Amino acid sequence: MDDLVIPATSSSPFVNFLAESGELELRGESYPENSPRFFRPILKWLTDYLGARTAPIRVAISLTYLNTSSVKCMMDMLDALQAAHDKGLSIVISWYYDGDNDRALDLAEEFKEELTLPFHIIPASEAT
Amino acid sequence: MTDRDVSAWLDELSADETFRSHPLFAQLQLLAEKYTKLVRRLDKISKISDSFQVQLKELNGALQLAALTDALCGLPNRRAMIDCIRKERNRSARNGRTFCLIMGDIDRFKQVNDTFGHEAGDDVLVATSATLRQHLRGYDVCSRWGGEEFLILLPETTLDGGIQTAKKLCEAVASQRITIANPVPGGSFRPAKCVDGEAARAQTSEEVVPRSLRFVTGTEIAITMSLGVSVFDHSQSIDACIREADRTLYAAKATGGNCCRHGALAETPDDAPGDDGA
């Protein structure tokens, strides 16, 4: 399966999904004019990938801003990851946030609440 | 209907054998569960989205504050001050009361920087800002206008009141003692060891430390400020009033500094001219 790499724009995040290594990264801000249109191919790639993948997956998310429709799309992606995890696939999510911003931590907690798979909330300064 | 309402409704139906044994009950249960999840998800998305909006609002507020505040001294900057003066001019037009502007400039500030370095210059600016602020009324506005220049707005103040305030500030700045964090840049400075300003001047190496900078102790210096006062006249513009304060400030500088002057160029009584060029 090919990698999925989408460069960041001023309103959409950098997407760097590496099929072979199982490292999936989303970084930046997300408020595209049409979020479903932006996320549709990403969700499609992810669904296909999760259906075929057997080795562990590591997801790194560092999103400083999401508009409402992007939040919905992100939830759909997290649901897909959760479903794959429930079927036995090893998935770990690392959510990076601005360590100086308490509200960013609260937001990360809100996403974590929706999931039971391993979800690590990490201050951005500790990112490697 | 909330997710809890749906759960309660479903529990109620489940308790009734007639409904529980209905062939569509299992599908109804499934539908209710999906609906419950959907409602919960909608709440969650709204909550997260609201949090992002609040975060954005807070960041905007911080940005706006930063755009209007001098980062070093914490005083309003030039842009913020112009807004304040405009508002005061409008208020003055309504209530018929005048206001004053005071332009203050630290005497021989360049010598502080040249002698001790820019960090020491920053110490002087921060300390002087605090001194000015301490000696003003709560509703007066003290801004950092430029490098070592401070513009002060005195709402509802006559020229006499402005002059009195300027004199008070002049004395307060001259009597403040500023601790220099690093008093020996490059080891070229031999600090004085006495407390008296004049004696300190006499004991200090004249070729290294300009005699206009008075050393109180090894790590403390005293500086002075010149001030110009103008009173706002509704026939003039704000720019003209600021220019007048600036012009009178330079009149004060021309007499040696460490004093204040006002629009009529009359020397204020009891002022203390400096010892050399300001």
Side-chain angles (χ1 to χ4, degrees):
Chain A
M1 192 167 181
D2 290 339
D3 295 342
L4 177 69
V5 181
I6 304 172
T9 70
S10 59
S11 61
S12 62
F14 173 51
V15 180
N16 191 29
F17 287 2
L18 306 178
E20 196 176 329
S21 66
E23 290 177 354
L24 316 184
E25 182 189 12
L26 272 171
R27 175 160 39 94
E29 296 183 329
S30 183
Y31 52 97
E33 202 170 311
N34 187 335
S35 297
R37 186 186 295 164
F38 175 77
F39 278 99
R40 197 171 297 126
I42 300 171
L43 191 60
K44 169 78 169 63
W45 186 97
L46 186 65
T47 309
D48 293 347
Y49 182 66
L50 293 172
R53 179 81 176 177
T54 52
I57 294 172
R58 288 190 303 169
V59 183
I61 301 172
S62 176
L63 294 169
T64 51
Y65 178 75
L66 293 123
N67 65 3
T68 307
S69 50
S70 293
V71 172
K72 200 263 176 196
C73 295
M74 180 55 60
M75 288 286 194
D76 291 344
M77 288 175 60
L78 294 176
D79 279 347
L81 291 166
Q82 179 67 53
H85 178 264
D86 292 344
K87 286 179 185 166
L89 195 58
S90 168
I91 300 175
V92 176
I93 296 177
S94 297
W95 184 287
Y96 296 97
Y97 75 100
D98 174 5
D100 295 329
N101 186 347
D102 289 344
R103 199 172 287 281
L105 174 61
D106 293 343
L107 275 163
E109 297 281 1
E110 292 288 352
F111 281 104
K112 185 179 182 177
E113 265 181 22
E114 293 294 291
L115 307 166
T116 58
L117 58 79
F119 189 105
H120 305 301
I121 300 174
I122 304 164
S125 56
E126 291 178 19
T128 54
Chain B
M1 197 179 252
T2 67
D3 54 339
R4 284 181 187 170
D5 292 339
V6 173
S7 296
W9 174 68
L10 206 59
D11 287 346
E12 200 178 309
L13 289 183
S14 305
D16 187 328
E17 176 57 30
T18 317
F19 283 107
R20 207 168 54 238
S21 58
H22 193 281
L24 290 176
F25 185 71
Q27 281 174 289
L28 179 68
Q29 248 182 331
L30 199 63
L31 192 65
E33 279 168 17
K34 281 188 175 176
Y35 177 81
T36 303
K37 188 183 174 190
L38 198 64
V39 170
R40 206 175 54 239
R41 177 55 57 89
L42 188 64
D43 284 348
K44 175 66 81 176
I45 291 172
S46 303
K47 196 173 173 185
I48 290 174
S49 188
D50 285 352
S51 280
F52 272 120
Q53 302 313 314
V54 172
Q55 183 176 283
L56 206 58
K57 195 83 185 157
E58 287 172 351
L59 290 172
N60 274 340
L63 197 64
Q64 196 171 15
L65 186 67
L68 297 173
T69 306
D70 177 69
L72 177 66
C73 303
L75 296 175
N77 63 14
R78 182 186 280 247
R79 183 191 296 180
M81 188 56 156
I82 287 172
D83 275 354
C84 289
I85 298 172
R86 280 187 186 139
K87 283 177 189 161
E88 189 54 33
R89 179 194 56 189
N90 295 340
R91 219 160 66 90
S92 170
R94 287 197 304 273
N95 64 22
R97 292 176 190 158
T98 189
F99 64 87
C100 282
L101 295 180
I102 300 175
M103 187 73 84
D105 186 275
I106 297 173
D107 297 329
R108 305 167 196 92
F109 183 71
K110 186 175 180 299
Q111 292 179 355
V112 176
N113 279 333
D114 290 349
T115 310
F116 303 110
H118 290 275
E119 272 184 40
D122 287 353
D123 291 342
V124 167
L125 288 168
V126 171
T128 304
S129 301
T131 299
L132 293 174
R133 197 53 267 174
Q134 275 168 19
H135 289 82
L136 291 167
R137 300 167 297 186
Y139 51 87
D140 294 334
V141 184
C142 179
S143 69
R144 185 168 175 207
W145 191 247
E148 67 267 32
E149 266 191 336
F150 298 86
L151 183 61
I152 296 156
L153 166 66
L154 307 175
E156 297 193 17
T157 304
T158 61
L159 180 60
D160 283 347
I163 293 167
Q164 291 308 312
T165 301
K167 283 168 62 180
K168 187 171 69 177
L169 295 177
C170 188
E171 285 166 13
V173 170
S175 60
Q176 70 176 342
R177 297 295 173 260
I178 302 163
T179 302
I180 300 299
N182 180 15
V184 200
S188 63
F189 163 59
R190 286 187 288 133
K193 290 177 181 169
C194 56
V195 174
D196 175 74
E198 288 301 314
R201 184 186 298 167
Q203 289 191 5
T204 304
S205 173
E206 293 277 61
E207 68 279 6
V208 176
V209 182
R211 73 188 186 95
S212 53
L213 296 178
R214 295 181 296 139
F215 295 92
V216 181
T217 69
T219 57
E220 288 185 332
I221 64 166
I223 51 126
T224 60
M225 174 174 265
S226 301
L227 304 103
V229 187
S230 67
V231 64
F232 184 73
D233 170 352
H234 281 284
S235 66
Q236 67 181 164
S237 66
I238 288 174
D239 282 348
C241 191
I242 295 172
R243 275 199 304 274
E244 180 66 0
D246 207 36
R247 188 180 67 79
T248 53
L249 159 66
Y250 280 93
K253 289 269 183 196
T255 64
N258 191 23
C259 64
C260 59
R261 293 288 181 275
H262 58 82
L265 276 182
E267 218 171 77
T268 58
D270 304 321
D271 58 356
D275 45 61
D276 59 7

